[in-house]
């Protein structure tokens, strides 16, 4: 792997349920691999309703149960400037990706994609929004984001 720092951002709609889990879980995998100084890791939402808010308590809880602390994260809104702040921007679903793509322009730094496309055989391309769901929905989100983050780290570590 090159010695350079790779900046990764996870994006969902509200930045309180799914993308905070992406940020926290990916940071956990990176730390366990001893690669903390090789990554900048962030998240945001395409909507601005939860700017400054902590993650949803159900996301904090499911992460805590798996040994990941996301409670210090605070909501941020995606802006066009992120296209040059991050190398890889991964959306949780096609709607989020379409919103981000409206800010695309030639020569930008960021490569865009869907997080679940890190798992080509998974059979699902969107991380379902658990906002109106149950604790089981948050657990399912945790599991798929965890697997995708492991695959993402393997891909980015290969350079
Ligand atoms: P997230 O879930 O995109 O996974 O953070 C949502 C959180 C809040 C809202 C929508 C989705 N909302 O409408 O406030």
């Amino acid at each position: 792997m090159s010695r350079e720092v790779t900046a990764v951002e996870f994006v969902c709609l509200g930045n309180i349920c799914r993308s905070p889990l992406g940020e926290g879980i990916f940071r956990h995998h990176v730390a366990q691999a001893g690669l903390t100084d090789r990554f900048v890791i962030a998240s945001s939402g395409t909507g601005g309703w939860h700017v400054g808010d902590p993650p949803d308590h159900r996301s904090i809880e499911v992460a805590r149960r798996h040994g990941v602390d996301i409670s210090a994260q605070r909501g941020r809104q995606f802006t066009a400037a992120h296209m040059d702040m991050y190398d890889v921007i991964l959306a949780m679903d096609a709607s989020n990706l379409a919103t981000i793509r409206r800010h695309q322009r030639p020569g930008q730094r960021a490569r865009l994609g869907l997080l679940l496309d890190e798992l080509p055989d998974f059979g699902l391309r969107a991380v379902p929004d658990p906002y109106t769901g149950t604790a089981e929905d948050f657990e399912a989100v945790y599991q798929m984001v965890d697997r995708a983050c492991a695959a993402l780290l393997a891909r980015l570590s290969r350079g």
Side-chain angles (χ1 to χ4, degrees):
M1 187 179 181
S2 80
R3 306 296 303 180
E4 282 156 29
V5 170
T6 302
V8 180
E9 183 177 44
F10 299 87
V11 180
C12 63
L13 178 60
N15 194 212
I16 55 169
C17 296
R18 293 167 293 175
S19 60
L21 286 171
E23 176 181 340
I25 292 168
F26 188 64
R27 184 173 287 126
H28 185 70
H29 282 284
V30 164
Q32 291 210 314
L35 296 172
T36 297
D37 58 350
R38 306 279 192 89
F39 287 93
V40 166
I41 305 166
S43 66
S44 69
T46 56
W49 314 284
H50 297 289
V51 170
D53 291 351
D56 186 284
H57 67 95
R58 297 162 297 176
S59 283
I60 292 175
E61 177 58 21
V62 74
R64 191 196 60 72
R65 272 197 281 113
H66 291 281
V68 177
D69 182 4
I70 65 167
S71 62
Q73 292 184 33
R74 293 295 178 266
R76 306 189 317 152
Q77 185 168 17
F78 182 85
T79 73
H82 293 200
M83 290 297 207
D84 288 313
M85 291 166 57
Y86 300 98
D87 298 293
V88 179
I89 299 177
L90 294 175
M92 293 291 164
D93 64 36
S95 168
N96 311 145
L97 184 58
T99 304
I100 296 168
R101 280 207 171 118
R102 280 188 224 126
H103 300 285
Q104 274 200 127
R105 42 168 192 69
Q108 75 187 26
R109 176 176 173 183
R111 283 167 284 137
L112 311 181
L114 289 171
L115 176 61
L116 286 190
D117 281 352
E118 302 298 328
L119 301 174
D121 300 326
F122 190 62
L124 204 61
R125 297 189 72 200
V127 178
D129 188 345
Y131 187 54
T132 57
T134 65
E136 289 70 33
D137 296 321
F138 278 81
E139 176 65 27
V141 165
Y142 186 96
Q143 293 298 335
M144 63 183 84
V145 171
D146 187 47
R147 285 179 57 185
C149 282
L152 173 64
L153 180 57
R155 177 169 73 83
L156 296 178
S157 299
R158 281 194 299 271

